[in-house]
Every structure is written in structure tokens, then in C-alpha cells.
């Protein structure tokens, strides 16, 4: 029987201390926040011209902000979800961008921001989402979840949580 009390155990996450993990985490958070900001600007600026996509865009902003929070507290489980949502948003942006630039014909509603600005912001979403996919998958492969138990006597064991 081990005389060590559970309160004596110190849980460490060695992969979270690496500079590469910290940089990846910061980059993913920045990309999620930038994506949320771009989608928010496009949604507000094009509110009158958007057709049925408003709820989807609002949900995307909320999910990206929530995922940024979870990444900030080292939850690696949201990283594949962020990558999957980024793939979908990248496709939506690639399809929508040319349509913002084609609004010079009659019959289109004028958005609050000019269609050219909204089109450029939509184009900017594409590389941001590609970077988000790459960095989210890099973060997932860094095994932020690995735990090392440290006991007062110096012994330790490794486990994945």
C-alpha cells in the first residue's frame, strides 16, 4: 500500500511548456479571433444584402469565440472541430467572394459597407481559414493532454488524460 496521499501528487503537462506549443496556441487563438472579427464585420456590413446566411454567420462567430476560449485553457479537443469548421468556412468564402464583386448590376441591394470591401474581406477569410486548419492540426499533434504525475519522493509516471 502506498503511503502517498493523492493531495501530494503534482500533475504537470510537459508539452504545454514547450515554446512551439505556446506559439501554436497563441497563433490558433489569434486566427480564431481574426476569423470571428472578419465574419462579424462582413455580417454587420452586409446585413441588408445577406440572404439567409445571417444565423449561420452568428453561430460561426459564437463558436469561434468559444473555441478561442477553450484553446486558451489548453483544451486540445476543440482543435479538430476548429479545423473542420474552418474547412467549411473556407468553402463558403471561396464561393461567396466573387458574388460580392459582381454586385454592380441593377437589382442588388446596397450593403452598409461597399460590396468591394466586403468582397475583399471575404477573400481574406480564405487564407486565414487555411492557416487555421494548419495550425489547429499542428496543435493537435503536439499532445497538450499528456500528464506527468510527480510525487514528493521524486518518482513519476506518465499518462495520457
Amino acid at each position: 500500500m502506498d503511503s502517498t496521499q493523492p493531495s501530494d501528487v503534482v500533475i504537470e503537462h510537459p508539452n504545454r511548456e514547450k515554446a512551439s506549443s505556446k506559439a501554436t496556441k497563441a497563433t490558433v487563438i489569434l486566427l480564431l479571433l481574426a476569423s470571428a472579427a472578419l465574419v462579424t464585420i462582413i455580417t454587420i456590413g452586409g446585413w441588408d444584402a445577406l440572404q439567409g446566411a445571417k444565423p449561420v454567420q452568428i453561430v460561426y462567430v459564437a463558436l469561434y469565440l468559444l473555441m478561442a476560449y477553450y484553446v486558451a485553457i489548453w483544451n486540445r479537443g476543440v482543435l479538430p472541430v476548429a479545423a473542420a469548421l474552418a474547412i467549411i468556412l473556407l468553402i463558403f468564402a471561396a464561393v461567396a467572394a466573387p458574388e460580392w464583386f459582381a454586385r454592380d448590376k441593377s437589382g442588388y441591394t446596397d450593403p452598409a459597407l461597399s460590396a468591394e470591401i466586403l468582397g475583399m474581406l471575404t477573400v481574406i477569410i480564405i487564407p486565414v481559414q487555411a492557416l487555421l486548419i494548419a495550425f489547429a492540426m499542428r496543435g493537435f499533434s503536439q499532445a497538450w493532454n499528456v500528464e506527468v504525475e510527480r510525487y514528493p519522493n521524486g518518482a513519476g509516471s506518465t499518462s495520457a488524460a
Side-chain angles (χ1 to χ4, degrees), residues 85-102:
L85 290 175
I87 291 169
I88 296 168
L89 186 57
L90 186 149
I91 293 168
F92 284 164
V95 170
E99 298 305 315
W100 282 116
F101 294 114

Side-chain angles (χ1 to χ4, degrees), residues 58-91:
I58 293 168
V59 168
Y60 254 93
V61 170
L63 285 174
Y64 272 24
L65 293 174
L66 184 65
M67 286 188 290
Y69 167 75
Y70 278 114
V71 171
I73 60 171
W74 292 101
N75 185 327
R76 110 185 224 267
V78 299
L79 294 173
V81 177
L85 290 175
I87 291 169
I88 296 168
L89 186 57
L90 186 149
I91 293 168

Side-chain angles (χ1 to χ4, degrees), residues 106-120:
S106 64
Y108 284 106
T109 304
D110 289 331
L113 286 176
S114 75
E116 291 79 23
I117 292 173
L118 293 172
M120 185 53 63

